[in-house]
Amino acid sequence: MNRTELYALAQSELDRQQKFRCRLLCCASTPCISSGGLAVQEALKKAIETDGLQAEVEAVATGCMGPCSRGPLVTVKMEGKEDVIYENVTPEIAEKIVDKHVRKLSAPELEGRALPSDWPFFVKQKKIVLADSGTIDPEKLDSYIARGGYTALIHALREMSPEEVCEEIVRSGIRGRGGAGYPTGLKWHMVRKAPGERKFVVANGDEGDPGAYMDRTLMESDPHRVLEGMAIAGYAVGADQGYIYVRGEYPLAAKRLERAIKAAERKGMLGMRVMESNFNFRIDIRMGAGAFVCGEETALMASIMGRRGQPVPRPPYPANKGLWGFPTLINNVETFGNIAAIIGQGADWYASHGTEKSKGAKIFALAGKVVNTGLIEVPIGITLREIVYDIGGGIPGGRPFKAAQTGGPSGGCIPAEYLDTPIDYETLQKLGSIMGSGGLIVMDDQSCMPDVAKFFMEFCMDESCGKCSPCRAGTVQMHRMLDKITKGLATMDDLARLEELCLMVKETSLCGLGQTAPNPIYSTLRYFRDEYEAHIKEHHCPAGVCQMAAKP
């Protein structure tokens, strides 16, 4: 596959799509499938076939469109007209969509089901990684190519040296989207310069944070974007083998990635002599077994190599000694999703989005007590208020906002007084939270903060691999203390011991799971200490959530 053939393939697919007077795009990501999306797609196809309109109308399964709580979703695309997105579509409503837009019949049942084109949920976003999600068929390579897919890879192979690719990533300012926010370009340079007979590239798709599904959606909705980013990374660092580590609970993502890999290999975009160059690059999938700790890079590598998924001390770091002792580049799936855009549109274009130290856009899984839950991609630096009230539509029932939890079990809770704070890596860290992989859970005044801390501590306790004592035993003891507090059985001495234990676990645990496990406790104590004291001193839960035991 050379550049001319790639452009011809793209044009051929665009010509094919333009032959249809109407295209019906039906979301086929996990949230919409779980609410009946496949039945909606079948109803659309049946209606088209019944009228013999297959040559004029096409029903296409796409990836996630964003507002997951409104699914199943169907987008109507017609030449010269603005796209119309229908929410909460059933098979019966699907028939009415065909009536209105294809048969030109009256369909009063559709009144109020179309999402407004100026809806803040869409307008406030800046889609880079998710630019094609909900538009292309994730199981058809030609659909991705028609949107410019693999042009960045061929540009890198034909017109850039590996060092120039790394430099472009450095200039873009992109930071790792998996949690820590380490500068991506610096990591690429480290792997490129590291001595080794072989090198590897790994995409971390082992997403385990409660309420988070950013990586799953990207792998399901636009798998070729991930593959292209990995191939560019492989060329830049000198690797010939890549692995995508997919969470075991993501079978649809794994299936679509597998199909995408095979399709790319058939067209010469992966495998031997990629794009008729001297660059060879294979990608294989490795499935996780449900261990949250395998999101930590050393545990992830152990799992890929067929060993028990447990972390090991660093250094040496994977960039110098990773898979089977060879230099290994590990980035989050979302990080790789940015690479084609950076190489294709330039580092300066990418760096024009975001803040001075945090460039680009970030995907968040917006969940909890908010009207519009779903997947969003917003420019870094947007305020929490804009996310919660403009994009999210505010708190159901008009209840007051209490806090937003970012960063999953490793993150913290941001109170209402910081609603107008920009969301970027440095600011969140100052507030006692982190960007994390992108989970964002909104809480109203009915949430009890000690109970929230207990929930996340129970998660960390269950997911601890047990290798080091501080995490293995410390998380259990912290959970017991929190349980005691929420039942009204604790004393102020217990609270002091809890804080001491948090410090010990943070400073002595082997890996990031234990080191960050106390964060939800730290942040809730920092901003909501009065709630802890109310449970202890007044034997009372201000939110009315906790069931108090009888007073001793």
Side-chain angles (χ1 to χ4, degrees):
M1 176 71 67
N2 55 41
R3 193 191 301 270
T4 302
E5 292 171 332
L6 186 67
Y7 288 160
L9 199 60
Q11 190 59 51
S12 175
E13 173 61 17
L14 288 172
D15 291 342
R16 187 197 69 81
Q17 293 178 10
Q18 289 171 0
K19 291 179 181 178
F20 297 103
R21 63 183 175 94
C22 180
R23 299 182 74 233
L24 305 172
L25 311 183
C26 183
C27 177
S29 65
T30 294
C32 281
I33 288 176
S34 67
S35 57
L38 295 181
V40 169
Q41 186 185 352
E42 286 303 312
L44 291 172
K45 288 183 176 180
K46 184 177 179 181
I48 293 168
E49 291 170 359
T50 299
D51 287 8
L53 297 171
Q54 296 93 321
E56 301 177 47
V57 184
E58 180 183 37
V60 183
T62 72
C64 181
M65 297 178 185
C68 303
S69 61
R70 307 294 187 101
L73 297 160
V74 172
T75 300
V76 179
K77 296 182 77 71
M78 300 187 74
E79 186 70 28
K81 294 185 178 181
E82 192 174 67
D83 292 354
V84 181
I85 302 177
Y86 289 100
E87 62 176 329
N88 300 319
V89 179
T90 63
E92 294 74 25
I93 294 298
E95 182 82 21
K96 298 301 177 182
I97 291 174
V98 175
D99 279 348
K100 179 175 181 178
H101 294 278
V102 179
R103 298 167 180 152
K104 304 301 181 183
L105 301 175
S106 174
E109 296 85 352
L110 297 182
E111 286 295 323
R113 285 189 180 268
L115 297 174
S117 58
D118 60 349
W119 194 29
F121 185 94
F122 294 127
V123 174
K124 285 274 186 174
Q125 294 192 50
K126 175 58 186 178
K127 293 193 174 184
I128 297 176
V129 177
L130 299 179
D132 299 328
S133 179
T135 301
I136 64 171
D137 184 339
E139 298 194 17
K140 289 187 177 179
L141 173 59
D142 290 2
S143 186
Y144 177 69
I145 291 175
R147 299 281 293 182
Y150 288 104
T151 55
L153 174 59
I154 203 166
H155 171 67
L157 293 175
R158 300 294 186 191
E159 300 169 22
M160 302 176 74
S161 68
E163 185 175 5
E164 287 173 336
V165 174
C166 290
E167 279 299 321
E168 195 75 0
I169 301 303
V170 170
R171 288 200 312 112
S172 74
I174 183 174
R175 298 169 64 167
R177 297 300 195 244
Y182 189 82
T184 301
L186 294 183
K187 184 184 285 189
W188 285 31
H189 266 309
M190 289 171 62
V191 178
R192 186 183 66 82
K193 295 176 181 178
E197 296 177 11
R198 291 196 70 187
K199 295 179 182 179
F200 297 95
V201 171
V202 175
N204 185 350
D206 190 59
E207 173 180 63
D209 292 0
Y213 58 100
M214 301 75 58
D215 295 343
R216 182 194 73 196
T217 299
L218 179 55
M219 292 185 287
E220 288 178 357
S221 303
D222 202 353
H224 285 285
R225 183 177 290 268
V226 180
L227 303 184
E228 185 176 10
M230 291 180 68
I232 293 171
Y235 171 70
V237 304
D240 62 0
Q241 175 68 54
Y243 292 100
I244 306 179
Y245 192 84
V246 183
R247 185 179 177 187
E249 294 88 345
Y250 291 172
L252 181 60
K255 183 188 78 170
R256 288 180 177 170
L257 280 168
E258 185 176 2
R259 290 181 177 177
I261 290 170
K262 290 180 179 178
E265 288 176 341
R266 285 194 297 269
K267 293 290 187 180
M269 294 160 182
L270 290 176
M272 301 297 292
R273 294 183 55 78
V274 174
M275 299 287 198
E276 299 181 3
S277 70
N278 294 323
F279 171 57
N280 305 323
F281 193 70
R282 285 181 49 85
I283 296 179
D284 291 310
I285 298 172
R286 292 291 182 269
M287 297 297 293
F292 177 71
V293 75
C294 284
E296 194 276 337
E297 58 185 15
T298 61
L300 180 149
M301 291 190 300
S303 183
I304 288 177
M305 293 185 288
R307 304 168 189 170
R308 183 173 181 179
Q310 288 188 320
V312 296
R314 298 173 300 176
Y317 292 94
N320 296 308
K321 189 176 180 181
L323 289 174
W324 295 286
F326 295 109
T328 302
L329 173 68
I330 303 178
N331 281 137
N332 173 263
V333 162
E334 184 185 340
T335 307
F336 284 119
N338 281 278
I339 301 305
I342 293 171
I343 298 300
Q345 301 189 59
D348 293 337
W349 169 83
Y350 188 84
S352 68
H353 303 96
T355 65
E356 182 181 355
K357 295 182 179 179
S358 302
K359 304 297 185 181
K362 180 73 186 78
I363 303 175
F364 288 100
L366 185 59
K369 298 296 182 66
V370 63
V371 174
N372 304 319
T373 59
L375 205 71
I376 62 173
E377 187 174 9
V378 294
I380 297 179
I382 191 173
T383 65
L384 185 58
R385 184 183 301 276
E386 289 176 281
I387 292 177
V388 174
Y389 285 96
D390 294 342
I391 296 175
I395 314 298
R399 301 196 70 91
F401 170 90
K402 187 171 190 176
Q405 205 273 351
T406 68
S410 303
C413 297
I414 304 170
E417 61 190 277
Y418 295 108
L419 265 171
D420 293 308
T421 299
I423 302 298
D424 58 46
Y425 289 94
E426 289 75 26
T427 303
L428 289 180
Q429 192 170 16
K430 289 177 183 177
L431 294 178
S433 189
I434 60 173
M435 186 82 75
S437 59
L440 200 162
I441 301 174
V442 178
M443 290 169 271
D444 63 12
D445 62 335
Q446 295 177 311
S447 296
C448 168
M449 304 317 288
D451 186 63
V452 169
K454 185 175 77 169
F455 167 80
F456 284 106
M457 188 52 57
E458 182 177 12
F459 179 87
C460 292
M461 176 183 72
D462 290 342
E463 293 295 341
S464 173
C465 73
K467 184 173 183 178
C468 70
S469 297
C471 180
R472 180 182 67 246
T475 53
V476 173
Q477 291 303 319
M478 287 190 289
H479 180 265
R480 286 178 180 172
M481 289 182 179
L482 289 167
D483 186 59
K484 195 174 179 181
I485 290 171
T486 56
K487 290 179 179 176
L489 298 174
T491 66
M492 291 302 292
D493 288 339
D494 291 320
L495 187 59
R497 279 193 289 270
L498 175 62
E499 293 184 84
E500 292 175 3
L501 185 57
C502 285
L503 182 62
M504 184 276 293
V505 172
K506 177 181 180 179
E507 295 188 346
T508 60
S509 291
L510 175 61
C511 81
L513 189 154
Q515 292 164 5
T516 60
N519 284 355
I521 300 176
Y522 276 133
S523 68
T524 51
L525 276 171
R526 178 178 176 180
Y527 299 115
F528 303 98
R529 181 176 285 269
D530 59 319
E531 291 196 27
Y532 282 86
E533 294 182 355
H535 284 73
I536 296 169
K537 294 179 179 180
E538 303 170 18
H539 205 70
H540 166 66
C541 174
V545 172
C546 302
Q547 297 296 316
M548 296 287 118
K551 289 186 178 181

